[in-house]
Amino acid sequence: MEIKLKRVHTISDLAISAALLVVGAGLFFLNSYLGVFVGICAVFMLIFWKSAFKADGRGTILKKKIVEISQQHRITVLEYLSGKDVEPVLDAPAAGNSSLLEVYYNKTQGLAYAQLFDYSNYKYDKATELVEMHSPRADKLLRQL
Protein backbone atom coordinates (compact mmCIF):
# COMPACT_ATOMS: atom_id res chain seq x y z
CA MET A 1 0.00 0.00 0.00
CA GLU A 2 1.51 3.28 -1.12
CA ILE A 3 1.13 6.25 1.21
CA LYS A 4 0.36 9.53 -0.53
CA LEU A 5 0.73 12.89 1.15
CA LYS A 6 -0.97 16.06 -0.02
CA ARG A 7 -0.39 19.69 0.89
CA VAL A 8 -3.06 21.41 3.00
CA HIS A 9 -3.70 24.83 4.56
CA THR A 10 -3.05 25.47 8.22
CA ILE A 11 -4.88 28.02 10.34
CA SER A 12 -1.85 30.33 10.19
CA ASP A 13 -1.77 30.13 6.36
CA LEU A 14 -5.39 31.21 6.19
CA ALA A 15 -4.94 33.93 8.83
CA ILE A 16 -1.93 35.48 7.08
CA SER A 17 -3.68 35.43 3.70
CA ALA A 18 -6.82 37.00 5.20
CA ALA A 19 -4.78 39.67 6.98
CA LEU A 20 -2.98 40.52 3.75
CA LEU A 21 -6.33 40.75 1.97
CA VAL A 22 -7.56 43.22 4.61
CA VAL A 23 -4.35 45.25 4.24
CA GLY A 24 -4.89 45.30 0.47
CA ALA A 25 -8.45 46.57 0.95
CA GLY A 26 -7.16 49.30 3.28
CA LEU A 27 -4.41 50.31 0.88
CA PHE A 28 -6.96 50.56 -1.91
CA PHE A 29 -8.24 53.77 -0.34
CA LEU A 30 -4.74 55.28 -0.20
CA ASN A 31 -3.36 54.04 -3.51
CA SER A 32 -5.68 51.97 -5.66
CA TYR A 33 -2.95 50.26 -7.70
CA LEU A 34 -1.02 49.21 -4.60
CA GLY A 35 -4.22 48.00 -2.92
CA VAL A 36 -5.18 45.90 -5.94
CA PHE A 37 -1.66 44.46 -6.18
CA VAL A 38 -1.56 43.47 -2.50
CA GLY A 39 -5.09 42.04 -2.78
CA ILE A 40 -4.12 39.91 -5.79
CA CYS A 41 -1.03 38.68 -3.92
CA ALA A 42 -3.26 37.74 -0.98
CA VAL A 43 -5.59 35.76 -3.25
CA PHE A 44 -2.64 33.90 -4.79
CA MET A 45 -1.31 33.15 -1.31
CA LEU A 46 -4.71 31.83 -0.32
CA ILE A 47 -4.76 29.51 -3.32
CA PHE A 48 -1.16 28.31 -3.48
CA TRP A 49 0.43 28.67 -0.02
CA LYS A 50 -0.03 25.39 1.83
CA SER A 51 2.56 24.70 4.50
CA ALA A 52 1.31 21.43 6.04
CA PHE A 53 0.72 17.91 4.81
CA LYS A 54 -1.97 15.29 5.31
CA ALA A 55 -1.91 11.57 4.54
CA ASP A 56 -4.77 10.50 2.27
CA GLY A 57 -7.76 9.37 4.29
CA ARG A 58 -6.41 10.67 7.61
CA GLY A 59 -7.08 13.89 9.48
CA THR A 60 -3.69 14.41 11.10
CA ILE A 61 -1.83 17.57 10.05
CA LEU A 62 1.89 16.89 9.50
CA LYS A 63 4.97 19.12 9.37
CA LYS A 64 7.92 18.37 7.10
CA LYS A 65 11.58 18.26 8.06
CA ILE A 66 14.46 17.40 5.71
CA VAL A 67 17.74 16.22 7.19
CA GLU A 68 21.02 15.42 5.45
CA ILE A 69 22.86 12.51 7.02
CA SER A 70 26.35 11.21 6.46
CA GLN A 71 27.05 8.03 4.54
CA GLN A 72 28.58 6.32 7.57
CA HIS A 73 25.28 6.58 9.51
CA ARG A 74 23.08 5.77 6.52
CA ILE A 75 23.00 2.07 7.42
CA THR A 76 21.61 2.69 10.92
CA VAL A 77 18.83 4.88 9.53
CA LEU A 78 18.07 2.34 6.80
CA GLU A 79 17.87 -0.48 9.36
CA TYR A 80 15.68 1.64 11.63
CA LEU A 81 13.26 2.36 8.77
CA SER A 82 13.14 -1.33 7.86
CA GLY A 83 11.94 -2.16 11.38
CA LYS A 84 15.05 -3.19 13.30
CA ASP A 85 15.55 -1.96 16.86
CA VAL A 86 18.62 0.25 16.42
CA GLU A 87 19.26 3.85 17.42
CA PRO A 88 19.16 6.10 14.31
CA VAL A 89 21.96 8.67 14.15
CA LEU A 90 21.14 11.84 12.26
CA ASP A 91 24.37 13.81 12.15
CA ALA A 92 25.43 16.42 9.63
CA PRO A 93 27.52 15.07 6.76
CA ALA A 94 31.11 15.98 6.11
CA ALA A 95 32.27 16.68 2.58
CA GLY A 96 31.39 13.96 0.13
CA ASN A 97 28.37 11.77 -0.36
CA SER A 98 25.32 12.22 1.78
CA SER A 99 21.82 10.86 2.09
CA LEU A 100 18.61 12.75 2.61
CA LEU A 101 15.92 11.86 5.11
CA GLU A 102 12.47 13.38 4.67
CA VAL A 103 10.29 13.18 7.77
CA TYR A 104 6.63 14.19 7.94
CA TYR A 105 5.58 14.27 11.58
CA ASN A 106 3.08 15.27 14.23
CA LYS A 107 4.67 15.17 17.69
CA THR A 108 1.42 15.48 19.64
CA GLN A 109 -0.12 12.47 17.89
CA GLY A 110 3.15 10.49 17.95
CA LEU A 111 3.01 9.87 14.20
CA ALA A 112 5.79 10.08 11.63
CA TYR A 113 6.32 9.16 8.00
CA ALA A 114 9.93 8.88 6.85
CA GLN A 115 11.70 8.21 3.57
CA LEU A 116 15.42 7.91 2.81
CA PHE A 117 17.02 9.13 -0.41
CA ASP A 118 20.55 8.50 -1.73
CA TYR A 119 22.45 11.09 -3.74
CA SER A 120 23.86 9.80 -7.01
CA ASN A 121 24.26 11.22 -10.51
CA TYR A 122 23.36 14.72 -9.32
CA LYS A 123 19.94 13.73 -8.00
CA TYR A 124 18.34 12.02 -5.02
CA ASP A 125 17.04 8.50 -5.67
CA LYS A 126 14.66 6.63 -3.35
CA ALA A 127 16.40 4.22 -1.00
CA THR A 128 13.19 3.31 0.84
CA GLU A 129 9.49 3.80 0.41
CA LEU A 130 7.55 6.09 2.74
CA VAL A 131 7.44 4.32 6.12
CA GLU A 132 4.73 4.96 8.72
CA MET A 133 5.75 4.93 12.39
CA HIS A 134 3.71 5.34 15.55
CA SER A 135 4.42 6.51 19.05
CA PRO A 136 7.33 4.80 20.76
CA ARG A 137 9.12 4.18 17.49
CA ALA A 138 8.33 7.59 15.96
CA ASP A 139 9.40 9.40 19.13
CA LYS A 140 12.84 7.83 18.90
CA LEU A 141 13.31 9.33 15.44
CA LEU A 142 11.74 12.69 16.33
CA ARG A 143 14.13 13.17 19.25
CA GLN A 144 17.02 13.09 16.78
CA LEU A 145 15.55 15.86 14.58
Side-chain angles (χ1 to χ4, degrees):
M1 180 177 132
E2 186 177 339
I3 301 167
K4 294 190 185 225
L5 299 172
K6 63 179 183 176
R7 287 185 165 275
V8 294
H9 292 289
T10 61
I11 299 295
S12 63
D13 296 342
L14 297 174
I16 292 170
S17 299
L20 197 60
L21 192 59
V22 169
V23 167
L27 282 175
F28 182 77
F29 295 111
L30 297 175
N31 184 343
S32 61
Y33 293 113
L34 184 60
V36 169
F37 177 74
V38 171
I40 289 172
C41 289
V43 169
F44 278 121
M45 281 179 65
L46 186 63
I47 294 170
F48 295 112
W49 187 29
K50 299 176 180 179
S51 63
F53 294 86
K54 217 183 233 190
D56 286 343
R58 307 228 172 105
T60 306
I61 301 289
L62 306 167
K63 294 180 185 177
K64 181 179 180 180
K65 177 89 173 181
I66 298 174
V67 180
E68 278 192 67
I69 57 173
S70 66
Q71 279 296 101
Q72 67 188 30
H73 296 296
R74 176 192 175 278
I75 299 298
T76 61
V77 174
L78 189 61
E79 288 175 348
Y80 185 74
L81 293 178
S82 67
K84 293 183 181 173
D85 190 26
V86 295
E87 185 70 30
V89 179
L90 305 179
D91 65 338
N97 283 345
S98 65
S99 294
L100 188 78
L101 180 68
E102 280 187 1
V103 181
Y104 303 89
Y105 65 93
N106 186 323
K107 286 185 179 179
T108 58
Q109 300 263 334
L111 177 66
Y113 297 92
Q115 187 170 19
L116 186 67
F117 294 90
D118 290 328
Y119 185 75
S120 65
N121 295 329
Y122 302 106
K123 66 178 183 169
Y124 283 101
D125 297 321
K126 284 185 193 179
T128 64
E129 293 298 319
L130 199 58
V131 178
E132 181 177 357
M133 294 175 277
H134 293 281
S135 196
R137 212 163 165 272
D139 295 337
K140 195 181 220 184
L141 181 65
L142 295 177
R143 276 193 302 268
Q144 295 285 330
L145 293 179

PDB file of all heavy atoms in Angstrom, residues 2 6-8 35-36 45 53 78-79 86 103 111 113-114 123:
ATOM      1  N   GLU A   2       0.707   2.068  -0.994  1.00  0.00           N
ATOM      2  CA  GLU A   2       1.509   3.280  -1.116  1.00  0.00           C
ATOM      3  C   GLU A   2       0.842   4.420  -0.359  1.00  0.00           C
ATOM      4  O   GLU A   2      -0.358   4.656  -0.483  1.00  0.00           O
ATOM      5  CB  GLU A   2       1.662   3.653  -2.590  1.00  0.00           C
ATOM      6  CG  GLU A   2       2.584   4.802  -2.808  1.00  0.00           C
ATOM      7  CD  GLU A   2       2.784   5.097  -4.286  1.00  0.00           C
ATOM      8  OE1 GLU A   2       2.545   4.208  -5.106  1.00  0.00           O
ATOM      9  OE2 GLU A   2       3.173   6.224  -4.579  1.00  0.00           O
ATOM     10  N   LYS A   6      -0.574  14.881   0.750  1.00  0.00           N
ATOM     11  CA  LYS A   6      -0.965  16.056  -0.023  1.00  0.00           C
ATOM     12  C   LYS A   6      -0.812  17.298   0.842  1.00  0.00           C
ATOM     13  O   LYS A   6      -0.897  17.242   2.068  1.00  0.00           O
ATOM     14  CB  LYS A   6      -2.384  15.925  -0.554  1.00  0.00           C
ATOM     15  CG  LYS A   6      -3.443  15.844   0.502  1.00  0.00           C
ATOM     16  CD  LYS A   6      -4.817  15.742  -0.122  1.00  0.00           C
ATOM     17  CE  LYS A   6      -5.872  15.730   0.972  1.00  0.00           C
ATOM     18  NZ  LYS A   6      -7.202  15.735   0.442  1.00  0.00           N
ATOM     19  N   ARG A   7      -0.562  18.420   0.188  1.00  0.00           N
ATOM     20  CA  ARG A   7      -0.395  19.692   0.891  1.00  0.00           C
ATOM     21  C   ARG A   7      -1.772  20.228   1.294  1.00  0.00           C
ATOM     22  O   ARG A   7      -2.730  20.134   0.530  1.00  0.00           O
ATOM     23  CB  ARG A   7       0.284  20.712  -0.009  1.00  0.00           C
ATOM     24  CG  ARG A   7       1.731  20.444  -0.220  1.00  0.00           C
ATOM     25  CD  ARG A   7       2.328  21.595  -1.024  1.00  0.00           C
ATOM     26  NE  ARG A   7       3.767  21.583  -0.967  1.00  0.00           N
ATOM     27  CZ  ARG A   7       4.481  22.133   0.005  1.00  0.00           C
ATOM     28  NH1 ARG A   7       3.897  22.741   0.982  1.00  0.00           N
ATOM     29  NH2 ARG A   7       5.794  22.084  -0.018  1.00  0.00           N
ATOM     30  N   VAL A   8      -1.819  20.815   2.496  1.00  0.00           N
ATOM     31  CA  VAL A   8      -3.059  21.411   3.001  1.00  0.00           C
ATOM     32  C   VAL A   8      -2.756  22.745   3.681  1.00  0.00           C
ATOM     33  O   VAL A   8      -1.620  23.030   4.045  1.00  0.00           O
ATOM     34  CB  VAL A   8      -3.786  20.468   3.993  1.00  0.00           C
ATOM     35  CG1 VAL A   8      -4.282  19.222   3.307  1.00  0.00           C
ATOM     36  CG2 VAL A   8      -2.906  20.125   5.166  1.00  0.00           C
ATOM     37  N   GLY A  35      -3.201  48.804  -3.589  1.00  0.00           N
ATOM     38  CA  GLY A  35      -4.217  48.001  -2.920  1.00  0.00           C
ATOM     39  C   GLY A  35      -4.638  46.798  -3.741  1.00  0.00           C
ATOM     40  O   GLY A  35      -4.787  45.688  -3.215  1.00  0.00           O
ATOM     41  N   VAL A  36      -4.815  47.005  -5.043  1.00  0.00           N
ATOM     42  CA  VAL A  36      -5.184  45.895  -5.936  1.00  0.00           C
ATOM     43  C   VAL A  36      -4.040  44.881  -6.017  1.00  0.00           C
ATOM     44  O   VAL A  36      -4.272  43.669  -5.971  1.00  0.00           O
ATOM     45  CB  VAL A  36      -5.571  46.430  -7.337  1.00  0.00           C
ATOM     46  CG1 VAL A  36      -5.684  45.298  -8.344  1.00  0.00           C
ATOM     47  CG2 VAL A  36      -6.872  47.216  -7.256  1.00  0.00           C
ATOM     48  N   MET A  45      -1.778  33.840  -2.517  1.00  0.00           N
ATOM     49  CA  MET A  45      -1.308  33.154  -1.314  1.00  0.00           C
ATOM     50  C   MET A  45      -2.379  32.216  -0.775  1.00  0.00           C
ATOM     51  O   MET A  45      -2.078  31.106  -0.335  1.00  0.00           O
ATOM     52  CB  MET A  45      -0.922  34.168  -0.230  1.00  0.00           C
ATOM     53  CG  MET A  45       0.417  34.809  -0.430  1.00  0.00           C
ATOM     54  SD  MET A  45       0.798  35.993   0.858  1.00  0.00           S
ATOM     55  CE  MET A  45       0.899  34.961   2.285  1.00  0.00           C
ATOM     56  N   PHE A  53       1.006  19.095   5.600  1.00  0.00           N
ATOM     57  CA  PHE A  53       0.722  17.908   4.809  1.00  0.00           C
ATOM     58  C   PHE A  53      -0.304  17.054   5.534  1.00  0.00           C
ATOM     59  O   PHE A  53      -0.446  17.123   6.747  1.00  0.00           O
ATOM     60  CB  PHE A  53       2.000  17.084   4.596  1.00  0.00           C
ATOM     61  CG  PHE A  53       3.022  17.790   3.768  1.00  0.00           C
ATOM     62  CD1 PHE A  53       3.923  18.665   4.346  1.00  0.00           C
ATOM     63  CD2 PHE A  53       3.079  17.607   2.405  1.00  0.00           C
ATOM     64  CE1 PHE A  53       4.860  19.329   3.593  1.00  0.00           C
ATOM     65  CE2 PHE A  53       4.008  18.268   1.638  1.00  0.00           C
ATOM     66  CZ  PHE A  53       4.908  19.131   2.237  1.00  0.00           C
ATOM     67  N   LEU A  78      18.719   3.306   7.687  1.00  0.00           N
ATOM     68  CA  LEU A  78      18.065   2.339   6.800  1.00  0.00           C
ATOM     69  C   LEU A  78      17.535   1.145   7.584  1.00  0.00           C
ATOM     70  O   LEU A  78      16.411   0.692   7.364  1.00  0.00           O
ATOM     71  CB  LEU A  78      19.052   1.889   5.720  1.00  0.00           C
ATOM     72  CG  LEU A  78      18.500   1.047   4.583  1.00  0.00           C
ATOM     73  CD1 LEU A  78      17.447   1.825   3.817  1.00  0.00           C
ATOM     74  CD2 LEU A  78      19.614   0.638   3.654  1.00  0.00           C
ATOM     75  N   GLU A  79      18.325   0.635   8.523  1.00  0.00           N
ATOM     76  CA  GLU A  79      17.871  -0.480   9.358  1.00  0.00           C
ATOM     77  C   GLU A  79      16.710  -0.059  10.246  1.00  0.00           C
ATOM     78  O   GLU A  79      15.783  -0.833  10.459  1.00  0.00           O
ATOM     79  CB  GLU A  79      19.021  -1.000  10.214  1.00  0.00           C
ATOM     80  CG  GLU A  79      20.055  -1.763   9.439  1.00  0.00           C
ATOM     81  CD  GLU A  79      21.244  -2.180  10.281  1.00  0.00           C
ATOM     82  OE1 GLU A  79      21.382  -1.678  11.422  1.00  0.00           O
ATOM     83  OE2 GLU A  79      22.034  -2.999   9.792  1.00  0.00           O
ATOM     84  N   VAL A  86      17.324  -0.404  16.284  1.00  0.00           N
ATOM     85  CA  VAL A  86      18.624   0.250  16.417  1.00  0.00           C
ATOM     86  C   VAL A  86      18.370   1.726  16.674  1.00  0.00           C
ATOM     87  O   VAL A  86      17.279   2.239  16.445  1.00  0.00           O
ATOM     88  CB  VAL A  86      19.488   0.078  15.143  1.00  0.00           C
ATOM     89  CG1 VAL A  86      19.849  -1.371  14.927  1.00  0.00           C
ATOM     90  CG2 VAL A  86      18.795   0.648  13.936  1.00  0.00           C
ATOM     91  N   VAL A 103      11.160  13.633   6.686  1.00  0.00           N
ATOM     92  CA  VAL A 103      10.292  13.183   7.769  1.00  0.00           C
ATOM     93  C   VAL A 103       9.076  14.093   7.825  1.00  0.00           C
ATOM     94  O   VAL A 103       9.212  15.313   7.915  1.00  0.00           O
ATOM     95  CB  VAL A 103      11.025  13.199   9.126  1.00  0.00           C
ATOM     96  CG1 VAL A 103      10.120  12.695  10.230  1.00  0.00           C
ATOM     97  CG2 VAL A 103      12.290  12.373   9.063  1.00  0.00           C
ATOM     98  N   LEU A 111       3.077  10.462  15.529  1.00  0.00           N
ATOM     99  CA  LEU A 111       3.007   9.873  14.196  1.00  0.00           C
ATOM    100  C   LEU A 111       4.101  10.462  13.327  1.00  0.00           C
ATOM    101  O   LEU A 111       4.361  11.666  13.371  1.00  0.00           O
ATOM    102  CB  LEU A 111       1.635  10.172  13.577  1.00  0.00           C
ATOM    103  CG  LEU A 111       1.374   9.702  12.168  1.00  0.00           C
ATOM    104  CD1 LEU A 111       1.357   8.175  12.105  1.00  0.00           C
ATOM    105  CD2 LEU A 111       0.051  10.250  11.674  1.00  0.00           C
ATOM    106  N   TYR A 113       6.092   9.841   9.270  1.00  0.00           N
ATOM    107  CA  TYR A 113       6.321   9.163   7.998  1.00  0.00           C
ATOM    108  C   TYR A 113       7.730   9.549   7.579  1.00  0.00           C
ATOM    109  O   TYR A 113       8.064  10.731   7.576  1.00  0.00           O
ATOM    110  CB  TYR A 113       5.334   9.607   6.928  1.00  0.00           C
ATOM    111  CG  TYR A 113       3.902   9.276   7.224  1.00  0.00           C
ATOM    112  CD1 TYR A 113       3.083  10.184   7.873  1.00  0.00           C
ATOM    113  CD2 TYR A 113       3.360   8.057   6.855  1.00  0.00           C
ATOM    114  CE1 TYR A 113       1.766   9.886   8.144  1.00  0.00           C
ATOM    115  CE2 TYR A 113       2.043   7.742   7.120  1.00  0.00           C
ATOM    116  CZ  TYR A 113       1.247   8.669   7.767  1.00  0.00           C
ATOM    117  OH  TYR A 113      -0.053   8.366   8.043  1.00  0.00           O
ATOM    118  N   ALA A 114       8.546   8.577   7.210  1.00  0.00           N
ATOM    119  CA  ALA A 114       9.934   8.879   6.852  1.00  0.00           C
ATOM    120  C   ALA A 114      10.312   8.152   5.567  1.00  0.00           C
ATOM    121  O   ALA A 114       9.818   7.058   5.280  1.00  0.00           O
ATOM    122  CB  ALA A 114      10.872   8.464   7.970  1.00  0.00           C
ATOM    123  N   LYS A 123      21.342  13.721  -8.427  1.00  0.00           N
ATOM    124  CA  LYS A 123      19.939  13.733  -8.001  1.00  0.00           C
ATOM    125  C   LYS A 123      19.765  12.757  -6.840  1.00  0.00           C
ATOM    126  O   LYS A 123      20.616  11.908  -6.582  1.00  0.00           O
ATOM    127  CB  LYS A 123      19.001  13.383  -9.145  1.00  0.00           C
ATOM    128  CG  LYS A 123      19.148  11.962  -9.656  1.00  0.00           C
ATOM    129  CD  LYS A 123      18.155  11.674 -10.742  1.00  0.00           C
ATOM    130  CE  LYS A 123      18.311  10.209 -11.143  1.00  0.00           C
ATOM    131  NZ  LYS A 123      17.253   9.754 -11.990  1.00  0.00           N
TER     132      LYS A 123
END
